[in-house]
Amino acid sequence: MDVYQSQKQNETKNMGDDYSLGRVPRDKRNMGWLSITNITFGIATAIFYFQMGSVMALQFGAINAIISAVYAIIVAGILGTFIAYLSAKSGMNVNLLSRGGGFGYIGASLTSFIYATNFIMYCALEGLILVAAVHELIPVIPKWVFILFFGLIVIPLNWFGIKQLDKLQKWSLPLFFLFLIAAIIFAAIHPSSYDGTFWSYMPEGVQVGGTALLLCIGMQHGIMGLTPLLASDYARFLKPKDTKLGIFAIGFIPQIFCFGVMGGLGIWFGVRLGEPNPGVYIVLLLGVWGALFTMLTQIRINVTNIYSGSLSLSSFFENVFKFKPGRRFWVVVTGLSAITLMLLNIVDHLEVVMTFQGVFLLTWATILVTDAIVVKRILKIGPGYYEDRQDNLYKWNPVGVASLIVASGLGTIAALGFMGTFLQSTAAFFAAILASILTIVLALATKGRYYIKKEANDIDREDYIA
């Protein structure tokens, strides 16, 4: 292990405590499961989940929205638990796991770049929700001023890495809950736009199940792949003694809160207030405090978006161009890219972007889990550890690369409606199942020859997964 650490020392010296280009050493995996789960709440408390719940309920009926939320919790929770386990065991995030997990080091860099664009896109989307809320309160100030202000403020909040994120999320979480309780109370005393119980709301001509439910599930797929993959950016710092409990907490608690609590409240708010946009109804309920609530939640989510985006860009440019300016440089690039998308009003193209991102992310997560559980552990193909060093890896591994290209390509075609209504709404799930099958078939066909070029003898046995 000493040889491995000395090799990584030069690579990680400009990374602070974030190890954006390499494995987190075992003696640096010193964060408890509560701290890491707390950081993931930055994603779980995003108002975007309100919006998802409100839109689904008003368009397709509350019960269909609720069923789709349960589905999302189960699927994303299972994937998140497995990925948190792989990350905690290896000390790597998904960008690094992909190198030795079926993609090769150039193949993995492609996933890193698409992953980074995902976080930039979501950062812009969340920022626009915040801008809409504040502009609703202070319409005299142009939107572009708010875009620049709220886009730039998350950059310094990311400057000192994961320890700073932990502190930010800890002090802001109680404030979030105070605002949330206030919003629930004010919504409860506000005259409802619907006379019945909220779960019985159903638009005219819509039924429980069928196409309406499939469309709700399709909307959930647009975000479901993100939270399981995101867990790896933080689970790699988990204390080894906390692994058993921690992986379930990191895997399921954020999903329950994202899709169950926040999504469920979004359904209730939407039906009760007859409005799908939380940037509007939160301000309507709480006035200036509603704008502050929105500001708090969106800053919490966007610091995690910027953090994960910067890690992915670091990995991509280090792999492909040998360019290693440090994570802070990529924090600035990620933040400025998100501001640019906000100024270009990405919301106008949201449906197309989320369709591809949803298919891609769920497919990628499924390949990593299939490779670890079936290929490495059951079939004993390839090494039982994850390798991230380029000298020991092939540029491309067809097992992951081909599976991802074929499955996400066909999944995107299905999502665009060219394979019928059923597959259009279940495109991400269809692509994930196809990718899992292809991963196993290609691993057997290639007999694992493209996993590693040179066997490593300096990986701690505790970091092995098989």
Side-chain angles (χ1 to χ4, degrees), residues 267-288:
I267 295 169
W268 182 69
F269 281 133
V271 171
R272 187 166 186 84
L273 303 171
E275 167 62 53
N277 189 341
V280 173
Y281 62 66
I282 293 295
V283 173
L284 173 69
L285 290 171
L286 300 178
V288 66

Side-chain angles (χ1 to χ4, degrees), residues 124-161:
L125 174 62
E126 300 288 355
L128 286 173
I129 293 175
L130 172 54
V131 167
V134 180
H135 189 261
E136 181 85 7
L137 193 69
I138 318 173
V140 68
I141 299 177
K143 281 189 177 181
W144 66 265
V145 174
F146 291 126
I147 288 173
L148 290 176
F149 177 75
F150 292 119
L152 290 171
I153 199 172
V154 293
I155 294 176
L157 291 174
N158 244 289
W159 208 245
F160 298 103

